[in-house]
Amino acid sequence: MKIALIGYGKMGRELERAAQKRGHSVAARIDPTLELGATTEISLRTIGAADVCLEFTHPEAATANIEQVVRLGKPLVVGTTGWYRHLPEVEKWVSQWKTGLVYAPNFSLGVNLFYRVAAGAARLFHRFDEYDVCGAETHHRLKADSPSGTARQLANVVLEHFPRKKRLVVDSLNRPIEPEEFHLVSLRAGSFPGTHSLFFDSAADTLELTHTARSRAGFASGALLAAEWIVGKQGVYTFENVLEDLLGGML
Ligand SMILES: NC(=O)c1ccc[n+]([C@@H]2O[C@H](COP(=O)([O-])OP(=O)(O)OC[C@H]3O[C@@H](n4cnc5c(N)ncnc54)[C@H](OP(=O)(O)O)[C@@H]3O)[C@@H](O)[C@H]2O)c1
């Protein structure tokens, strides 16, 4: 497969490494900071040879990039976050130009499988009243948001599959927790690349499920999996749809 990298920053470079390992080649790198032939131009000339494009740039750039790629009829994987309010327009363009697009706030294969494992575990433990559930996440000191988007998604999974929990609480409580509150704490320090844990706890024991990210490689392999999947398909999909298709009813 020939890929076009739209955005050649940290993720663009990680995608290039991962793509080469999977036997794909890079047909174009589009980024304003590239030296020699630097361009942000998305045209038939620059991406015409690509089978699929991967967009990892900036929230302000993503929607215009998506429009240009889609108008050229190329399938696209979008990792950039922060443009989702434009989703209705994007859906129209994708349908009008008859191409395919996959987007996700987190393309890590491990995290997305973790959501599925967490859903299954929540359904099981919910059946036994002696078990309670809570969560924790740890990230580097520069992370802007808290809890992380991934932690919020994990909380949604718990609220859906462990119905005794009806509300997410993320603050310091300074009071006993209500049984229907799902407590999720965030820790910030140092360089942690990102850890998310769920604890199912009873008087007798604790089951801990933890996903620990080591690098950006997990995002790249998930995004490439999505890129391989979207070629030849039409419509707008999330990474969850991709996994649903690949895994069927598993878990
Ligand atoms: N979904 C996921 O799994 C996932 C995972 C990791 C990151 N992300 C998201 O992906 C995005 C990129 O992350 P990153 O870590 O690679 O950031 P980064 O290192 O800042 O790279 C972004 C690159 O895109 C370039 N760029 C800006 N506007 C552009 C345009 N119009 N056309 C082409 N290139 C353009 C930037 O150039 P300048 O520096 O000159 O602006 C920069 O080189 C962020 O939104 C991040 O949150 C998503």
Side-chain angles (χ1 to χ4, degrees):
M1 210 166 66
K2 291 197 180 89
I3 63 170
L5 297 171
I6 301 177
Y8 195 61
K10 293 184 281 298
M11 272 308 296
R13 284 158 215 264
E14 192 70 53
L15 284 163
E16 179 164 42
R17 277 190 288 275
Q20 282 163 353
K21 276 193 202 150
R22 290 165 89 106
H24 304 312
S25 60
V26 175
R29 298 175 193 85
I30 294 172
D31 189 296
T33 56
L34 279 184
E35 290 158 16
L36 293 176
T39 179
T40 50
E41 182 196 305
I42 297 173
S43 64
L44 266 188
R45 184 182 68 77
T46 56
I47 67 165
D51 299 303
V52 60
C53 303
L54 293 112
E55 208 276 357
F56 283 77
T57 61
H58 280 300
E60 316 81 66
T63 311
N65 286 344
I66 293 169
E67 183 176 7
Q68 286 170 288
V69 171
V70 166
R71 278 176 182 275
L72 294 170
K74 294 285 175 187
L76 175 65
V77 170
V78 186
T80 307
T81 52
W83 58 271
Y84 300 145
R85 64 190 180 284
H86 299 294
L87 194 54
E89 293 154 75
V90 166
E91 282 170 340
K92 265 191 234 145
W93 299 331
V94 168
S95 137
Q96 185 180 349
W97 300 97
K98 298 190 177 13
T99 187
L101 181 150
V102 183
Y103 70 97
N106 189 327
F107 270 107
S108 155
L109 188 54
V111 162
N112 283 274
L113 293 176
F114 184 37
Y115 293 150
R116 286 182 162 239
V117 171
R123 281 197 297 272
L124 281 179
F125 281 97
H126 180 258
R127 302 277 297 273
F128 301 95
D129 283 346
E130 55 266 53
Y131 282 95
D132 200 357
V133 59
C134 63
E137 57 104 344
T138 307
H139 280 90
H140 54 87
R141 65 188 173 82
L142 297 176
K143 183 155 181 66
D145 54 333
S146 161
S148 69
T150 302
R152 285 193 181 275
Q153 182 55 30
L154 201 55
N156 290 339
V157 168
V158 170
L159 296 181
E160 184 180 346
H161 296 280
F162 196 103
R164 273 185 273 138
K165 295 293 180 189
K166 307 216 179 302
R167 269 196 318 283
L168 168 66
V169 281
V170 296
D171 305 319
S172 162
L173 288 175
N174 294 317
R175 60 168 170 79
I177 189 162
E178 298 294 335
E180 68 274 13
E181 289 177 330
F182 171 58
H183 201 190
L184 176 74
V185 297
S186 299
L187 263 176
R188 295 289 177 267
S191 309
F192 294 105
T195 299
H196 295 87
S197 299
L198 276 185
F199 305 90
F200 295 93
D201 186 69
S202 75
D205 54 14
T206 306
L207 183 116
E208 282 185 39
L209 294 175
T210 296
H211 175 271
T212 307
R214 284 200 200 99
S215 69
R216 291 171 177 263
F219 299 132
S221 67
L224 284 169
L225 186 68
E228 291 158 2
W229 183 87
I230 194 65
V231 172
K233 295 194 176 62
Q234 284 185 18
V236 174
Y237 302 91
T238 62
F239 190 47
E240 214 179 313
N241 298 141
V242 177
L243 288 180
E244 193 64 50
D245 186 52
L246 295 176
L247 297 172
M250 278 175 70
L251 272 180

